[in-house]
Amino acid sequence: QEQLVESGGGLVKPGGSLRLSCAASGFIFSDSYMSWIRQAPGKGLEWVSYISGSSRYTNYADSVKGRFTISRDNARNSLYLQMDSLRAEDTAVYYCVRGHTILTYWGQGTLVTVSS
Amino acid sequence: EIVLTQSTGTLSLSPGERATLSCRASQSVSNNYLAWFQQKPGQAPRLLIYGASSRATGIPDRFSGSGSGTDFTLTVSRLEPEDFAVYYCQQYGSSPYTFGQGTKLEV
């Protein structure tokens, strides 16, 4: 049974930093591309970033490029998103997702609120 | 960037009826790499269809996808009470991978 559990969300001031984590189980994590997708309150879905199984390939949406960093630790079956220079418009539920083209399985998400 | 437009914001139907949801792309979607997701309140999205017409694992056959190029359709043949939700299309043919704004299917 695949499982993705996000953590690390919370309230942060504009300009601050936050690190999200995602614990994966039930599938071969190291073989899987992984993505972060976000959803602002009451809004639609926005792709944020993805990383290949070996960490060789990464890609970012223009809206977060240079501020967010995706990484993974295959020994710990964990995915991360380091978010720096946070802005109000980064407020959203952040989902950890298996895959990068076909988004097969989604975690339940963690809420990030950027507000003073 | 490919913009996906789901022209119907809200679709009001009844259980047992047929639902047809549309998704139009601003340019051709490479290899028809188009997916559909269902999202219920307070839940994460769930993959329904990928490759425009392939059902994901465990998805009932009342859900079907069709289309190519710039015009795609999700059809729910006979609506069940649990099908009332928000539906998103997504293209993964070219980066950045983009989503439509969603169609709410309500009773």
Side-chain angles (χ1 to χ4, degrees):
Chain A
Q1 181 81 358
E2 287 183 69
Q3 191 168 18
L4 296 169
V5 179
E6 301 93 337
S7 61
L11 176 63
V12 61
K13 288 181 168 54
S17 297
L18 212 54
R19 189 195 196 206
L20 305 183
S21 300
C22 171
S25 60
F27 62 99
I28 303 174
F29 182 73
S30 58
D31 285 351
S32 299
Y33 271 75
M34 297 293 296
S35 299
W36 289 99
I37 308 292
R38 69 184 180 184
Q39 186 171 35
K43 301 296 185 183
L45 300 166
E46 181 187 15
W47 167 73
V48 173
S49 181
Y50 69 70
I51 186 169
S52 64
S54 65
S55 301
R56 180 174 181 181
Y57 302 107
T58 60
N59 199 2
Y60 298 90
D62 285 346
S63 57
V64 307
K65 200 172 292 184
R67 300 188 299 121
F68 289 12
T69 303
I70 192 171
S71 63
R72 63 193 297 160
D73 183 340
N74 287 342
R76 297 177 182 270
N77 282 355
S78 292
L79 176 72
Y80 306 102
L81 186 67
Q82 177 66 41
M83 304 186 296
D84 299 320
S85 303
L86 282 161
R87 306 166 179 167
E89 55 265 35
D90 296 318
T91 294
V93 173
Y94 285 73
Y95 293 102
C96 168
V97 185
R98 183 184 180 189
H100 72 304
T101 49
I102 303 174
L103 303 171
T104 56
Y105 188 77
W106 300 54
Q108 285 304 303
T110 187
L111 176 63
V112 172
T113 302
V114 184
S115 176
S116 54
Chain B
E1 171 175 321
I2 295 179
V3 176
L4 298 179
T5 301
Q6 297 182 246
S7 55
T8 305
T10 302
L11 189 59
S12 299
L13 293 169
S14 300
E17 290 192 297
R18 180 185 185 90
T20 303
L21 287 68
S22 68
C23 176
R24 175 164 289 179
S26 59
Q27 55 189 280
S28 184
V29 176
S30 177
N31 297 308
N32 296 326
Y33 284 164
L34 193 287
W36 289 93
F37 296 87
Q38 177 194 67
Q39 187 178 32
K40 297 179 181 178
Q43 296 186 18
R46 177 175 71 145
L47 176 66
L48 299 175
I49 301 287
Y50 63 93
S53 60
S54 297
R55 267 189 305 276
T57 303
I59 302 304
D61 61 7
R62 64 180 182 273
F63 291 92
S64 64
S66 62
S68 64
T70 60
D71 289 293
F72 299 89
T73 300
L74 174 71
T75 301
V76 189
S77 59
R78 290 174 312 280
L79 285 166
E80 298 285 343
E82 63 268 27
D83 298 336
F84 292 91
V86 179
Y87 292 82
Y88 294 95
C89 57
Q90 177 234 355
Q91 68 80 23
Y92 53 95
S94 60
S95 183
Y97 305 142
T98 48
F99 292 86
Q101 78 276 28
T103 291
K104 182 178 182 180
L105 184 53
E106 66 173 21
V107 179

